[in-house]
Amino acid sequence: MSSADNKGSRIPQGRLTRMSSLASLATRVAGGMLGEGARQLAQGKRPSTKDLLLTPANASRVAAQLSQLRGAAMKVGQLLSMDAGDLLPPELTLILSRLQSNGTPMPPRQLSQVLVQELGKDWQQNFAQFSFKPMAAASIGQVHQAHADDGRKLAIKVQYPGISASIDSDVDNVMTLLRLSRLLPEQLDYTELLTEAKRQLHAEADYVLEAQQLSSFAKLLADAPQFVLPVVETQLTTSRLLTMSYMEGLELSALQEQPQAVRNQAVSQLFSLLFRELFEFRLVQTDPNFANYLYQPESQRLVLLDFGATRAYPETISEGYRQLFSAGLNNDTPAIEQALSQIGFFSQDIVPAQRQAVVNMVQLACEPVSENSAYDFANSPLASQLREAGTQLSLEQGYWHSPPADALFLHRKIGGLYLLAAKLKAQVNVQQLLLPYLKD
């Protein structure tokens, strides 16, 4: 057995301990505001509360504390991230975007305690070798490499202790902190979003469920050799421990050095997968994190790694998006409004200007499918335009009704694919990939 050189950071456990961590954060943020206010007053300035709150030091305090808590506290920040062009203040985006990087791993002693709890005190007998140094550390758990007795290479996802039990309180506490810090508008009704976020996080924290979802996708994609998935080691999997075959491959960011045709093909495969998920399977892996994929250059296959954020979509929502894409492709405004209504937008009263602003955003988001030609994601200002349109809608139009949860998770996935396509400078005819799924 090999152990990590770094000691890691112990995950706080228990509702009161985690709540006190957030309370301590609020105190430090307030102290930072007082210090910054005194500094600016000494310089003859009259700073606003907003300016004092959103200093780089305070942004670091918020991001660092949420990262240390991991679990729902960190995941809520990631869910609220603006990468997909959601409707939140840009200042909050700056703070939350810092949570997109990997979390801090737990120390080896705490890791050992989890392994004993899940596999018994003789857990080492299940492996010929186990590396205590994690390959990756994220919000819910960290991943370790190991070898089975027969020499097979394994990847083991170990959940942080106390995460599942802290989800509900963490979500409530983080949102209260954001509300008290005035980073969320008072008129924003996020009740449905919080309920769905808790439900989604509980699902992600259930590794037995994730193993089942992985197996479901393996069956659904049995006819798609361009995708390869890890195989679950059922005997070594529990609700807090997921053991799988180790998958080799390049990180998707490494494709930036590959020829244009390779980058185009990889992104095309991901868009094709999205359309199958939404319209055929009605089962969507909604997490757009780049780390959820690997690329195998020899076989040109994509490895699909993480299925914790898998979400089932009812037929009415799937059909609503089919109509929405079709209407967006044809620039049919009345049909766009009808499709948005079916999906669940406009369920609350809004003025005509707000309604039109939402339609305009949809038309903008449909730009990659509007023409029957390769869309050049690298040279498109689409991401910044969507961000600007979202900010204008929220701040100038006053549209603070949160979108339906199904739409929010799906839009994060679509936005993530747009960002990935732009990062890889892909040129893809998205319309041709979509057309087989659209009805006349």
Side-chain angles (χ1 to χ4, degrees), residues 324-392:
L324 184 62
F325 276 117
S326 180
L329 190 151
N330 296 307
N331 200 27
D332 185 340
T333 299
I336 289 176
E337 292 193 36
Q338 182 178 353
L340 286 170
S341 296
Q342 177 167 332
I343 293 168
F345 285 85
F346 311 143
S347 59
Q348 298 161 299
D349 293 333
I350 59 175
V351 300
Q354 295 170 337
R355 190 182 188 96
Q356 185 59 49
V358 175
V359 171
N360 292 343
M361 276 195 69
V362 170
Q363 291 173 319
L364 181 61
C366 285
E367 183 178 291
V369 302
S370 62
E371 296 183 8
N372 188 14
S373 60
Y375 187 81
D376 189 350
F377 284 91
N379 293 312
S380 167
L382 180 61
S384 59
Q385 288 175 342
L386 284 172
R387 187 186 303 276
E388 182 179 347
T391 301
Q392 181 179 14

Side-chain angles (χ1 to χ4, degrees), residues 239-296:
S239 61
R240 295 201 300 166
L241 198 76
L242 178 55
T243 304
M244 304 165 287
S245 57
Y246 182 90
M247 306 302 293
E248 303 282 354
L250 300 174
E251 295 182 2
L252 286 194
S253 58
L255 294 188
Q256 292 175 300
E257 308 302 322
Q258 296 289 324
Q260 184 73 51
V262 172
R263 289 179 274 128
N264 293 348
Q265 180 188 36
V267 174
S268 295
Q269 290 173 354
L270 289 176
F271 274 108
S272 295
L273 176 60
L274 171 65
F275 297 143
R276 286 197 74 181
E277 288 177 310
L278 181 58
F279 300 123
E280 184 180 336
F281 307 156
R282 295 204 292 272
L283 189 67
V284 182
Q285 194 285 93
T286 62
D287 188 349
N289 194 320
F290 296 179
N292 290 339
Y293 310 99
L294 295 175
Y295 181 75
Q296 297 179 337

Side-chain angles (χ1 to χ4, degrees), residues 16 41 61 115 148 153 197 254 264 273 343 411:
L16 293 178
L41 286 173
R61 290 185 183 98
L115 293 169
K153 209 170 181 180
N264 293 348
L273 176 60
I343 293 168
H411 294 178

Side-chain angles (χ1 to χ4, degrees), residues 71-126:
M74 183 175 175
K75 198 73 176 182
V76 167
Q78 293 176 340
L79 286 175
L80 290 172
S81 171
M82 296 292 294
D83 282 351
D86 298 327
L87 309 180
L88 286 175
E91 295 85 1
L92 181 54
T93 305
L94 179 63
I95 293 176
L96 298 179
S97 65
R98 302 186 182 203
L99 296 176
Q100 294 302 316
S101 59
N102 285 344
T104 305
M106 57 181 152
R109 177 174 294 183
Q110 195 172 34
L111 169 63
S112 296
Q113 292 172 349
V114 176
L115 293 169
V116 168
Q117 291 170 358
E118 299 305 307
L119 298 179
K121 62 180 181 179
D122 295 326
W123 65 268
Q124 299 98 325
Q125 301 303 316
N126 295 290

